[in-house]
Amino acid sequence: MTFQQVKEQEQFIIHTYGRVDVALAEGKNARAWDVEGKEYIDFTSGIGVNCLGYSDPQWTAAVSAQAGKIQHLCNYYYSPENTALAQELCEAAGMAQAFFCNSGAEANECAIKIARKYGEKRGACRIVTLNNSFHGRTLTTLSATGQEGFHKDFLPLTEGFLYADAGDLEGIASLLDGTICGVLIETVQGEGGVVPMDAAFVQGLRKLCDEKDVLLMLDEVQTGVGRTGHFYSYQGMGIIPDIVSSAKGLAGGLPIGACLIGEKLRNILKPGQQGSTFGGNPVVCAGARVVVSRVSDPTFLQTVREKGKYLSQRLESMPQVELVRGQGMMLGIKLKSGDAHDVLIKCAEQGLLVLTAKDLVRFLPPLTVTREEMDAGLAIFAKVLETI
Ligand SMILES: *Cc1c(COP(=O)(O)O)cnc(C)c1O
């Protein structure tokens, strides 16, 4: 199939994505090939999803084997892949229980339902989120998203969300008036432009939430599963949240979401109060088990921090780069001049796939990216920056 044929079929898809003219057919770790055989270095990993890169042998074998055994069963029966993943994930996260669903937005929906149920008896149903946040595209997670641009055209949204500024502990404290059941934040705002929160702010929020009996909810959909160099980012901050939402990289490229809760919320939802037909599907869980076992290894996490540092240092030494921010292998690159989206297009032409976030270029390479792949990608990036 040629790219032109793919492009013609696009008319059958609702045009909700501003797509780049690249159609990938195959990949190996951080390298991919398009339908016509052109090679790319991929620093997107599908927005932080393919954390073990493309076609990792152990992951591929686990997923294929499970597909050939039992591909799906309904949640009225037990699946050993599902229960094993729950235990392994809770142990890696330091949490008590998991609910499995299929996406980040659904994981946040579940987190919001749990928080509402927690506050229900005392009439605390509202949730504080941050300006510039991103929590998903369903109507309720859109409402949780503190960016008006995403709300426009879809009103009315779900009631009960208040927005505060990142870092503003006093402002948040003033909102906690007894009607609030939870505070939901990203520790590094991904879509908002790779904006890391201060550890002191997150720690202060933990304390404040404890004092006010409000749940601290972390949206780790993008930051989680090794991305920041910790299995979950809070594990590098010395705090434990009450609720964690996870998705993107969790199953290494298959659709999954997980809402994790701490001991104090054990069994808060009762049979019939939450569900998902596909949630916890055994093929997806088989892939996720490989991811959790590999990525939660401290040696692996150490390599993520080292590679993130290497990428940042190399990027900071490029004369056109104003600053690099983020954590681990979640990096935002602010350029002194030029448009980030133009850079993305030029990179694709030259064989490097990158993302943007607001006015920054964003790198989310597979966590398994090799030094050779990083160098190949950086060389293309440097060449493109010389042309802007
Ligand atoms: C991507 C993302 C979501 C939404 O996840 P979907 O799987 O697209 O529903 C939610 N929160 C954060 C922080 C994200 O980065």
Side-chain angles (χ1 to χ4, degrees):
M1 201 179 224
T2 64
F3 178 73
Q4 213 42 50
Q5 289 170 309
V6 175
K7 187 91 174 167
E8 274 159 29
Q9 292 171 331
E10 201 204 3
Q11 62 183 298
F12 296 101
I13 297 179
I14 299 179
H15 201 82
T16 64
Y17 302 103
R19 289 195 212 265
V20 182
D21 281 349
V22 174
L24 298 182
E26 227 180 296
K28 188 74 208 154
N29 206 36
R31 276 202 161 75
W33 294 272
D34 73 12
V35 287
E36 292 170 7
K38 177 177 166 185
E39 182 175 298
Y40 298 85
I41 295 291
D42 189 340
F43 281 174
T44 73
S45 56
I47 318 194
V49 168
N50 305 317
C51 59
L52 301 178
Y54 291 115
S55 58
D56 175 82
Q58 190 192 1
W59 179 90
T60 307
V63 167
S64 317
Q66 186 58 43
K69 282 199 259 177
I70 285 185
Q71 76 275 36
H72 178 77
L73 74 168
C74 76
N75 277 305
Y76 299 119
Y77 301 101
Y78 291 95
S79 151
E81 288 300 312
N82 177 279
T83 50
L85 174 63
Q87 176 171 1
E88 290 154 7
L89 181 59
C90 284
E91 285 172 1
M95 302 299 282
Q97 289 183 312
F99 173 80
F100 291 119
C101 47
N102 315 287
S103 68
E106 280 179 84
N108 283 330
E109 287 271 348
C110 180
I112 292 162
K113 281 179 77 172
I114 289 173
R116 284 198 171 177
K117 181 149 190 212
Y118 182 75
E120 196 268 331
K121 284 204 176 59
R122 57 187 157 103
C125 61
R126 303 203 293 170
I127 292 176
V128 176
T129 68
L130 298 182
N131 289 314
N132 197 46
S133 56
F134 182 83
H135 298 295
R137 303 283 194 164
T138 61
L139 281 168
T140 294
T141 57
L142 210 50
S143 192
T145 293
Q147 299 190 57
E148 256 170 47
F150 287 104
H151 298 171
K152 198 180 147 303
D153 295 348
F154 303 110
L155 302 177
L157 300 178
T158 305
E159 288 174 47
F161 289 91
L162 303 177
Y163 313 107
D165 284 334
D168 183 12
L169 268 182
E170 269 176 42
I172 295 174
S174 73
L175 295 175
L176 304 185
D177 61 358
T179 68
I180 308 291
C181 56
V183 177
L184 172 66
I185 67 160
E186 298 155 271
T187 54
V188 183
Q189 292 181 333
E191 303 309 305
V194 196
V195 184
M197 301 295 115
D198 279 342
F201 168 63
V202 181
Q203 289 153 357
L205 212 48
R206 173 70 281 180
K207 207 162 150 257
L208 184 63
C209 287
D210 282 340
E211 284 162 13
K212 301 280 186 179
D213 193 17
V214 163
L215 298 174
L216 177 60
M217 310 154 74
L218 295 189
D219 179 344
E220 293 252 16
V221 169
Q222 191 161 153
T223 50
V225 194
R227 181 54 56 186
T228 66
H230 302 278
F231 189 73
Y232 284 115
S233 68
Y234 58 83
Q235 293 169 312
M237 295 178 161
I239 61 128
I240 300 260
D242 300 301
I243 308 183
V244 183
S245 38
S246 189
K248 289 201 165 84
L250 183 52
L254 291 175
I256 190 170
C259 179
L260 307 178
I261 57 175
E263 202 53 60
K264 111 170 154 190
L265 297 172
R266 178 178 285 279
N267 291 331
I268 181 164
L269 295 176
K270 305 296 176 209
Q273 292 201 313
Q274 182 66 325
S276 163
T277 298
F278 287 114
N281 168 283
V283 175
V284 177
C285 287
R289 289 185 68 196
V290 173
V291 169
V292 172
S293 91
R294 292 256 293 278
V295 176
S296 66
D297 179 344
T299 316
F300 184 96
L301 292 168
Q302 174 69 25
T303 66
V304 174
R305 296 194 290 273
E306 283 163 8
K307 291 178 204 177
K309 208 168 177 187
Y310 177 72
L311 285 170
S312 309
Q313 283 170 350
R314 289 281 311 268
L315 287 164
E316 278 161 359
S317 75
M318 295 180 188
Q320 303 83 356
V321 170
E322 185 176 317
L323 61 88
V324 181
R325 69 183 179 218
Q327 219 194 330
M329 275 207 271
M330 180 173 179
L331 298 173
I333 303 140
K334 202 177 178 84
L335 301 171
K336 286 178 186 156
S337 68
D339 177 69
H341 189 72
D342 287 348
V343 170
L344 178 154
I345 300 290
K346 283 186 176 156
C347 283
E349 284 165 7
Q350 298 300 316
L352 172 67
L353 304 181
V354 299
L355 298 160
T356 60
K358 293 279 168 72
D359 60 341
L360 281 77
V361 178
R362 175 169 46 154
F363 285 6
L364 295 173
L367 306 179
T368 51
V369 67
T370 63
R371 170 66 85 98
E372 185 272 324
E373 289 162 342
M374 288 191 283
D375 287 343
L378 287 164
I380 297 172
F381 193 62
K383 202 169 93 185
V384 167
L385 291 191
E386 280 168 21
T387 70
I388 60 165

Coordinates of all heavy atoms in Angstrom, one line a residue, residues 135-167:
H135 N -7.0 16.0 31.7 CA -7.5 14.8 32.3 C -8.3 13.9 31.4 O -8.7 12.8 31.9 CB -8.2 15.1 33.6 CG -7.4 15.8 34.6 ND1 -6.3 15.2 35.2 CD2 -7.4 17.1 35.2 CE1 -5.7 16.1 36.1 NE2 -6.4 17.2 36.0
G136 N -8.5 14.3 30.2 CA -9.2 13.4 29.3 C -10.3 14.1 28.5 O -10.6 15.3 28.6
R137 N -11.0 13.3 27.7 CA -12.0 13.9 26.7 C -13.4 13.5 26.9 O -14.3 13.9 26.1 CB -11.6 13.3 25.3 CG -10.2 13.6 24.8 CD -10.1 15.1 24.4 NE -8.8 15.3 23.7 CZ -8.6 16.3 23.0 NH1 -9.5 17.2 22.8 NH2 -7.4 16.5 22.4
T138 N -13.7 12.6 27.9 CA -15.1 12.4 28.2 C -15.6 13.7 28.8 O -14.9 14.5 29.3 CB -15.2 11.2 29.2 OG1 -14.6 11.6 30.4 CG2 -14.7 9.9 28.7
L139 N -17.0 13.8 28.9 CA -17.5 15.1 29.4 C -17.0 15.4 30.8 O -16.8 16.6 31.1 CB -19.0 15.2 29.2 CG -19.4 15.5 27.7 CD1 -20.9 15.2 27.5 CD2 -19.0 16.9 27.3
T140 N -17.0 14.4 31.6 CA -16.6 14.7 33.0 C -15.1 15.0 33.1 O -14.7 15.9 33.9 CB -17.0 13.6 34.0 OG1 -18.4 13.6 34.0 CG2 -16.5 13.8 35.4
T141 N -14.3 14.3 32.4 CA -12.8 14.5 32.5 C -12.5 15.8 31.8 O -11.5 16.5 32.1 CB -12.0 13.3 32.0 OG1 -12.3 13.1 30.6 CG2 -12.2 12.1 32.8
L142 N -13.3 16.2 30.8 CA -13.1 17.5 30.1 C -13.4 18.6 31.1 O -12.7 19.6 31.1 CB -14.2 17.5 29.0 CG -13.9 18.3 27.7 CD1 -12.5 18.0 27.1 CD2 -15.0 18.0 26.7
S143 N -14.4 18.4 31.9 CA -14.7 19.3 32.9 C -13.6 19.4 34.0 O -13.3 20.5 34.5 CB -16.1 18.9 33.6 OG -16.6 19.9 34.4
A144 N -13.0 18.3 34.3 CA -11.8 18.3 35.2 C -10.6 19.0 34.6 O -9.8 19.5 35.3 CB -11.5 16.9 35.6
T145 N -10.6 19.0 33.3 CA -9.4 19.6 32.5 C -9.5 21.2 32.7 O -10.5 21.7 32.2 CB -9.5 19.2 31.1 OG1 -9.2 17.8 31.0 CG2 -8.5 20.0 30.2
G146 N -8.5 21.8 33.3 CA -8.6 23.2 33.5 C -8.1 24.0 32.3 O -7.2 24.8 32.5
Q147 N -8.6 23.8 31.2 CA -8.3 24.6 30.0 C -9.5 24.9 29.2 O -10.1 23.9 28.6 CB -7.3 23.8 29.1 CG -6.0 23.5 29.8 CD -5.0 22.9 28.8 OE1 -4.6 23.6 27.8 NE2 -4.5 21.7 29.0
E148 N -9.9 26.1 29.1 CA -11.2 26.5 28.5 C -11.3 26.1 27.0 O -12.3 25.7 26.5 CB -11.4 28.0 28.6 CG -12.5 28.3 29.6 CD -12.6 29.8 29.9 OE1 -12.6 30.6 29.0 OE2 -12.6 30.1 31.1
G149 N -10.1 26.1 26.4 CA -10.1 25.7 24.9 C -10.7 24.4 24.7 O -11.3 24.2 23.6
F150 N -10.5 23.5 25.6 CA -11.1 22.1 25.4 C -12.6 22.1 25.7 O -13.3 21.2 25.2 CB -10.4 21.1 26.3 CG -9.0 20.8 25.9 CD1 -7.9 21.3 26.6 CD2 -8.7 19.9 24.8 CE1 -6.6 21.0 26.2 CE2 -7.5 19.6 24.4 CZ -6.4 20.1 25.1
H151 N -13.1 23.0 26.5 CA -14.5 23.0 26.9 C -15.4 23.6 25.8 O -16.6 23.1 25.6 CB -14.7 23.9 28.1 CG -14.0 23.4 29.3 ND1 -13.9 24.1 30.5 CD2 -13.3 22.3 29.6 CE1 -13.2 23.5 31.4 NE2 -12.8 22.4 30.8
K152 N -14.9 24.5 25.1 CA -15.6 25.3 24.1 C -16.4 24.3 23.1 O -15.9 23.3 22.7 CB -14.6 26.1 23.2 CG -15.2 27.2 22.4 CD -14.0 27.9 21.7 CE -14.4 28.4 20.3 NZ -15.0 27.6 19.3
D153 N -17.6 24.6 22.8 CA -18.5 23.9 21.9 C -19.1 22.6 22.6 O -19.9 22.0 21.9 CB -17.8 23.4 20.7 CG -17.3 24.5 19.8 OD1 -17.8 25.7 20.0 OD2 -16.6 24.3 18.8
F154 N -18.8 22.3 23.8 CA -19.3 21.1 24.4 C -20.1 21.3 25.7 O -20.3 20.4 26.5 CB -18.2 20.0 24.6 CG -17.5 19.8 23.3 CD1 -16.2 20.2 23.1 CD2 -18.1 19.1 22.3 CE1 -15.5 20.0 21.9 CE2 -17.5 18.9 21.1 CZ -16.2 19.3 20.9
L155 N -20.5 22.5 25.9 CA -21.2 22.8 27.2 C -22.6 22.3 27.2 O -23.2 22.1 26.1 CB -21.2 24.4 27.4 CG -19.8 25.0 27.4 CD1 -19.9 26.5 27.5 CD2 -19.0 24.4 28.5
P156 N -23.3 22.0 28.2 CA -22.8 22.1 29.6 C -21.9 20.9 30.0 O -22.2 19.8 29.6 CB -24.0 22.2 30.4 CG -25.0 21.4 29.7 CD -24.7 21.5 28.2
L157 N -20.9 21.2 30.8 CA -20.0 20.1 31.3 C -20.6 19.6 32.6 O -21.5 20.2 33.2 CB -18.6 20.6 31.5 CG -17.9 21.1 30.2 CD1 -16.6 21.7 30.5 CD2 -17.8 20.1 29.1
T158 N -20.0 18.5 33.1 CA -20.3 18.0 34.5 C -20.0 19.1 35.5 O -19.0 19.7 35.5 CB -19.5 16.8 34.7 OG1 -19.7 15.9 33.7 CG2 -19.8 16.1 36.1
E159 N -20.9 19.2 36.4 CA -20.8 20.2 37.5 C -19.8 19.7 38.5 O -19.5 18.5 38.6 CB -22.1 20.4 38.3 CG -23.2 21.2 37.5 CD -24.4 21.1 38.3 OE1 -24.4 21.4 39.6 OE2 -25.5 20.8 37.7
G160 N -19.3 20.7 39.4 CA -18.5 20.3 40.5 C -17.0 20.3 40.4 O -16.3 19.6 41.2
F161 N -16.5 21.1 39.5 CA -15.0 21.2 39.4 C -14.6 22.6 39.6 O -15.2 23.6 39.1 CB -14.5 20.7 38.0 CG -14.6 19.2 37.9 CD1 -15.8 18.6 37.4 CD2 -13.6 18.4 38.4 CE1 -15.9 17.2 37.3 CE2 -13.7 17.0 38.4 CZ -14.9 16.4 37.8
L162 N -13.6 22.8 40.4 CA -13.0 24.1 40.7 C -11.6 24.1 40.3 O -10.9 23.1 40.4 CB -13.1 24.4 42.2 CG -14.5 24.4 42.9 CD1 -14.3 24.6 44.4 CD2 -15.4 25.4 42.3
Y163 N -11.1 25.2 39.8 CA -9.7 25.2 39.3 C -8.8 26.2 40.1 O -9.3 27.2 40.5 CB -9.7 25.7 37.8 CG -10.7 25.0 37.0 CD1 -11.9 25.6 36.5 CD2 -10.6 23.6 36.7 CE1 -12.9 25.0 35.8 CE2 -11.6 22.9 36.0 CZ -12.7 23.6 35.5 OH -13.7 23.0 34.8
A164 N -7.6 25.7 40.3 CA -6.7 26.5 41.1 C -5.3 26.6 40.3 O -5.2 25.8 39.3 CB -6.4 25.9 42.5
D165 N -4.4 27.5 40.7 CA -3.2 27.5 40.0 C -2.2 26.5 40.6 O -2.1 26.3 41.8 CB -2.6 29.0 40.1 CG -3.3 29.9 39.2 OD1 -3.8 29.5 38.2 OD2 -3.3 31.1 39.5
A166 N -1.4 26.0 39.7 CA -0.3 25.1 40.2 C 0.6 25.8 41.1 O 0.9 27.0 40.9 CB 0.5 24.6 39.0
G167 N 1.0 25.2 42.2 CA 1.9 25.8 43.2 C 1.2 26.7 44.2 O 1.9 27.0 45.2

